[in-house]
Every structure is written in C-alpha cells, then in structure tokens.
C-alpha cells in the first residue's frame, strides 16, 4: 500500500498559511485531523491516537512558525518530538543482566508472535557477548514446540533444557538447578502462546513466576497487530506483570503503530526488535526510528534536524 | 455480570439513542475502527449507512445499527462456494509467519475427512524449524497421510509429488502447507507462484483454492498482505484465525473491501475441531455488538 507521508498530508492543510505567522486554532485542528488519520492507518490505538493529538495540539497552539520550516514541517517536528518522547527517547534500552548468579528471562505472549524464535535469538545474542545462556522448553502444549526449540537452540549454539510435558513451573525450577550446576548465567524460558483472556493459562505464568525468580518478563508482540494490541498488553501486564517488550516481524511493511499503543498502556520499554526469521535478525529498538516509521516522517527529519 | 451490564446498557441505549445523530455515526465509526476495519473503510461504510437511514426513514439507534450490520453482512456473504471438484481438489494454504496456517490445515483435514473425503497432506514448509514434525503430529491426529521431504527441499517439488501421489492412490483432496513469509520479500513470494503452478503441472484435472490465512489481530497491514498474496499466488479466499481471542477481525472486512477476497473459514481455538465455516451474520454481530452508549466527552 502506498503511504502518503505526513508532510504531504499536512501541506494540503496549510496551503493558505505560508512561511511566517503563528499557528492558529483552526489550522491546528485541521492538521490534527490528518495526524489522527495517519496514526489510525498505522494501527495506533484509537484512544491512544486521540490522547496523543490532544497533547500535540496543546504544544502547537500559538507557536511561532520558524523561518527555516514550512508550517507542515513545523507540525511534523512537534509530532515527531512528542512521539519519540512517548516511545521512550532517542536511545535504545538494554535488558538488565546481572553480573552474579542467574538472570532469568521469560518470554510470553499470544500464539505465533515469535516467542520461541526470539528466545533463541536472545540466546545467540548473549552468547556472542560471552555469556552462557540456557534455553528452557516450558511450552508443553504446541505440537513439536520442544523439537522446534531444540533445533533453534542448536542453530544458536545454546543448550536447551527439556523435561517433556511436565508442569511448566516444575520444568522452570529444575532448569534453575541445572543452570547452577552447569554455570549458565542467563536462563531463557520459552512458554506456550496464550490468549490474555485464558485465565487457566495466564495463571500458569503466575505459577512459573512463583516457582522461580524471573528478572525480566518479556511480552513478545507482533508488529503487525492492530487495535487490540492495547488490550493484550494491558491484560498481560495486569495479570502477570511484564517488564518489557520484544517487537517482532518488523522486517515487514507494517507501520507498526502497535508499538506505540503497547508503550502507551504499559509504560514498559521495548528492548529489542525482530527483523527476520534468522537467528541473527535481532536489533536494539530505536524509539525515534520507530516514530518516523509510524508516521512516514523520514522525509523531513533530516531537514528538521538542521532547523 | 456481563449480561447484567449488557441489560442496563441496553436500557440506557434505548433512552439515549432514540435519535440518529452525528454522535451516533461517530460512535459507530469508532466501533468499526476499534475492530480494525480501518479509518477509510469505516468512513465509507458509515457514509453508506447515512444514505440508507435517509432512504428508509430509519429512526432509532437500533435501526441504524441493524442497517449497518446488514450492509456489511451482505457484502461479506460469499457469492460462490469453494471450488473443490477437481481431481484432486487442492487447497494451498499461505500467509505471513505464525498466523496459524499449519493448525488450520489440520483442522481442514479433519473437517473434510469427516465429510467423507479422502484427504492427503503435503508438507510444503521445508524451511521452518520443526515444521514438518508439527504437521506430522497433526496428520496423525487427523488420521490422514502426509507427503514430506527433508529440511530445505524444494516446496514446489513436495507439493507436485503430493498431487501426483494423491492422483495415483485415489485420494480426492490435497491440502498443502507452505512456510510463513512476509509479503514484501520478493524471492519468497515468487516461490509461491512456482508452488501454485506445480499443482496443474502434476494434474491438469486438479482444482485449486488458495487460502490466505489472516490472524484476526492483524491491523491495516492485512490489506498489504492480501494484495501481495493475491498478486504472487492468486489467493482465492481468506481464513480468519484466532477469533477466540478479543480481536473482532475487522481487518478481513477491509481486505474484502479492497480486494474482494471472501472469508471462507474462521479459526476459534487450537484444537482440531476449532474451525467453522464463515457465517457473515455471526461475524457482524460480534463486530458490532450493540449500539454504542453515548459518551460525555
Ligand atoms: N519475518 C519474521 N518472522 C519471524 C520473526 N520472528 C519470528 N518469526 C516467524 O514467526 C513464526 C512464529 O514464530 P515462533 O517463534 O514459532 O512463535 P511463537 O510465539 O513461539 O509461537 P507459539 O509457540 O505457537 O505461540 C515462525 O515462522 C518464525 O520464523 C521476525 O522477526 N521476522
Ligand atoms: N487461540 C488460537 N490459536 C491458534 C488458532 N490457530 C492457530 N493457533 C495457534 O497459533 C500458533 C501458530 O500456529 P501455526 O499453525 O504453527 O501457524 P503457522 O502460520 O503455520 O506458522 P509458521 O509456519 O511459523 O508461519 C500456534 O500456537 C497455534 O496453536 C486459533 O484459531 N485460535
Ligand atoms: Mg513457541
Ligand atoms: Mg506452519
């Protein structure tokens, strides 16, 4: 699908208003309608988009238009700054890995979002940093889930702990003992995909967290998700308490508004993004890049940086 | 508890929604957007509703809601049945990663076997870790045979072999799995074209349905997915999975509006019988459950 960039959209709105002058209420209102449409087309949640536009309007009101920018560019600049702020700033954030003992990471999320693949990607990533990770097969339901983890574990050069279809909390506990005995300093738990409304399976995650001390509970979110991403993230956070997000399948052409929605409702950072099916396809998450991707603002950002 | 709030909500609605006004139109538009129908498509549908309200002199919010449901329902009702009368009838299942292709194949195998068809599966995902092990387990559960080759084998060749083998052994249906792929990867999309051509090569009498699997949680990217899968592999229909979750699956409405791809089945769980033929009425009722209560803001 061809996307019109936000600047193009806004140029239409500001046709009359050229160069100097202040941004007035009517202009801003018209501009915010365009911003809102762009956000919705990018799958930013309806309510999140509404709040965001209110915030941007407030800041834009009465602003002097800069010499160096058109009014459209000026609004894009404000939108970009606010969006980047909301997404967590300019710099990527990193998981907190302890220097002593074991750090436990638990992958959780909806079915098919990329938990198993990203457990292995993280294993490979930390192994390349000289750590000694261990993958743990806590998905005891999905057909061939354990074999899948064994295969990707082998590809990543990371050992995999399995106990068949025992209770996941029990497997996690035994894995900790195994990790201590074998000198594994990062323990990555792969769990089964589940719906946030499935109470029995959500309780299972709580039981895992009671059985072992989980340091980072990572919600794995598909970047192609739409309006419901908000409710998924909110409920996972309320029921089991997440500490961060891994955004997957960003190698597609999705605008990725789900990222903003998830951040807005949980306030938890996105640590990594998945950029492909291969195990090296893992990158730190740059909030500012994602902001310009969501709204198609890449075109003016270089210009704005100079302003 | 749910029915109680529903009950009071409805009383409230009949009190506040006697009139059809801009607030009601806005609220319906919001409901559609929140269901992932997408802003442009939502505006179009609500415009159609405005015309209908005027033409038929509708008065209450309830009537407007029913009219909107009717509009969508009529559009989504498939105009022709699945084409399954070839020898064999081939169903090729495609889509982006993790949407539920392999699970859907198991469900389809179960469904058609119960209907008395002789079904064979083809393990066309030769790429993903443990993909054929997964399908093998499902084939066992469904009680149908599976044609597979080793990791990294040419998927078009596997599917060609399956169609040949089915023809030779008197099976009347082949359901073929493919590896998940993002629709913006040209090489992988071209591979799908080759796969679908291999079906007719193996049997000129074969019929071919190419079902695109969409995860109900997908947002507006579904349109781009459908465009590319239609272009590269000639998708003929949609299976909407994971409707047992909270998403309404409105992305399939925008896919219909943009590409005219009919929804054929819905997936409602992870078990083998969690597949239902698509019913537009049920779908629309869950998409637009009730007249939105007017809000203060
Ligand atoms: N293109 C792309 N594909 C990905 C990415 N991450 C995962 N995948 C693919 O998405 C599909 C699902 O990945 P899994 O790791 O099995 O997902 P899961 O969350 O463990 O799935 P369940 O265990 O069934 O809930 C596979 O085909 C992966 O190869 C990514 O970043 N980009
Ligand atoms: N809740 C629910 N889960 C489903 C449904 N259909 C599939 N799943 C789950 O979604 C996950 C992915 O399903 P698969 O069938 O492996 O998906 P796929 O499209 O073959 O994945 P790739 O081959 O990796 O691209 C699994 O955990 C399934 O159990 C459904 O209708 N509802
Ligand atoms: Mg998994
Ligand atoms: Mg599959």
């Amino acid at each position: 699908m061809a996307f019109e960039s936000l600047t193009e959209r806004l140029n239409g709105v500001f046709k009359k208003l050229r160069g100097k002058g202040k941004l007035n209420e009517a202009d801003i209102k018209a501009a915010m309608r365009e911003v809102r449409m762009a956000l919705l087309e990018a799958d930013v949640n309806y309510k999140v988009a509404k709040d965001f536009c209110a915030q941007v309007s407030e800041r834009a009101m009465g602003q002097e238009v800069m010499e160096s920018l058109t009014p459209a560019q000026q609004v894009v600049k404000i939108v970009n700054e606010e969006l980047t702020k909301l997404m967590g700033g300019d710099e990527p954030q990193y998981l907190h890995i302890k220097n002593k003992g074991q750090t436990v990471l638990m992958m959780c999320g909806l079915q098919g979002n990329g938990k198993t693949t990203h457990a292995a990607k993280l294993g490979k990533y930390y192994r390349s940093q000289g750590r000694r990770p261990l993958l743990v097969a806590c998905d005891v339901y999905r057909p061939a889930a354990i074999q899948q983890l064994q295969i990707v574990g082998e590809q990543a050069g990371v050992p995999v702990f399995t106990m068949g279809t025992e209770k996941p909390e029990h497997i996690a506990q035994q894995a900790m003992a195994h990790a201590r005995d074998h000198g594994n300093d990062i323990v990555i738990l792969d769990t089964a995909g589940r719906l946030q409304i499935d109470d029995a399976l959500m309780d299972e995650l709580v039981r895992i967290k009671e059985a072992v001390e989980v340091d980072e509970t990572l919600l794995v979110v598909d970047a192609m998700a739409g309006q419901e991403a908000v409710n998924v993230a909110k409920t996972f956070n309320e029921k089991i308490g997440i500490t961060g997000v891994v955004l997957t399948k960003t190698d597609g052409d999705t605008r990725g508004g789900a990222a903003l929605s998830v951040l807005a409702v949980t306030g938890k950072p996105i640590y990594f993004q998945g950029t492909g099916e291969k195990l090296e396809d893992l990158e730190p998450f740059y909030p500012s890049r994602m902001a310009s991707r969501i709204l198609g603002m890449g075109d003016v950002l270089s210009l704005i940086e100079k302003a | 508890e749910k029915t109680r709030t529903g009950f009071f909500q409805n009383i409230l609605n009949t009190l506040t929604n006697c009139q059809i006004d801009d607030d009601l139109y806005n609220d319906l538009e919001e409901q559609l957007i929140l269901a992932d129908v997408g802003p442009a498509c939502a505006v179009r549908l609500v415009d159609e509703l405005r015309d209908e309200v005027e033409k038929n002199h509708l008065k209450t919010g309830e009537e407007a809601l029913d009219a909107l449901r009717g509009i969508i329902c009529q559009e989504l009702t498939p105009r022709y049945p699945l084409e399954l009368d070839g020898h064999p009838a081939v169903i090729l299942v495609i889509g982006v990663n993790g949407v539920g292709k392999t699970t859907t194949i198991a469900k389809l195998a179960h469904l058609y076997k119960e209907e008395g068809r002789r079904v064979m599966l083809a393990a066309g995902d030769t790429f993903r870790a443990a993909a054929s092990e997964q399908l093998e387990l499902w084939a066992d559960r469904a009680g149908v045979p599976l044609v597979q080759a080793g990791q990294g084998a040419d998927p078009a060749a596997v599917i060609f072999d399956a169609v040949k083998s089915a023809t030779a052994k008197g099976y009347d249906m082949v359901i073929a799995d493919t590896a998940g792929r993002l629709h913006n990867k040209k090489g992988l999309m071209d591979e799908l074209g080759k796969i679908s051509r291999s079906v007719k090569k193996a049997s000129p009498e074969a019929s071919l349905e190419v079902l695109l699997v969409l995860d109900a949680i997908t947002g507006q990217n579904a349109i781009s997915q459908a465009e590319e899968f239609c272009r590269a592999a000639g998708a003929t229909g949609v299976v909407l999975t994971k409707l047992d979750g909270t998403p309404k699956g409105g992305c399939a409405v925008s896919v219909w509006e943009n590409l005219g791809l009919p929804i054929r089945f819905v997936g409602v769980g992870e078990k083998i019988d969690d597949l239902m033929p698509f019913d537009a009425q049920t779908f629309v009722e869950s998409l637009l459950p009730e007249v939105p209560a007017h809000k203060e803001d």
Side-chain angles (χ1 to χ4, degrees), chain A residues 11 34 49 77 101 105 127 130 163 166 227 240 282 296:
Chain A
N11 273 333
E34 292 298 318
K77 177 174 146 70
L105 317 178
R127 195 181 83 111
M163 278 178 71
E166 292 263 340
Q227 296 289 319
I240 59 164
L282 182 74

Side-chain angles (χ1 to χ4, degrees), chain B residues 223-259:
Chain B
I223 302 169
S224 171
Q225 290 175 24
E227 273 172 3
E228 295 306 325
F229 279 105
C230 280
R231 193 179 353 250
T236 55
V238 165
V239 180
L240 191 59
T241 59
K242 311 187 195 175
L243 262 187
D244 47 325
T246 47
K248 308 274 172 111
C251 63
V253 177
S254 49
V255 164
W256 163 261
E257 294 272 330
N258 282 278
L259 292 138

Side-chain angles (χ1 to χ4, degrees), chain A residues 114-117 139 142 145 148 190-193:
Chain A
K115 295 172 292 300
T116 307
T117 310
D139 177 355
R142 178 186 158 136
Q148 185 191 355
D190 179 32
T191 68

Side-chain angles (χ1 to χ4, degrees), chain A residues 111-113 115 139 142-143 148 193-195 277, chain B residues 95-104 107 125 128 131 134 138 177-181 213 240-245 266-270 274:
Chain A
Q111 288 92 346
N113 283 20
K115 295 172 292 300
D139 177 355
R142 178 186 158 136
Q148 185 191 355
R194 66 203 71 214
L195 299 172
E277 293 190 70
Chain B
V96 299
N97 310 81
V99 286
K101 293 175 294 298
T102 307
T103 312
T104 298
K107 294 171 178 178
D125 181 356
R128 191 199 125 137
Q134 182 192 2
W138 278 122
D177 197 5
T178 60
R181 65 200 75 215
V213 180
L240 191 59
T241 59
K242 311 187 195 175
L243 262 187
D244 47 325
V266 297
V268 291
E270 298 185 77
D274 289 330

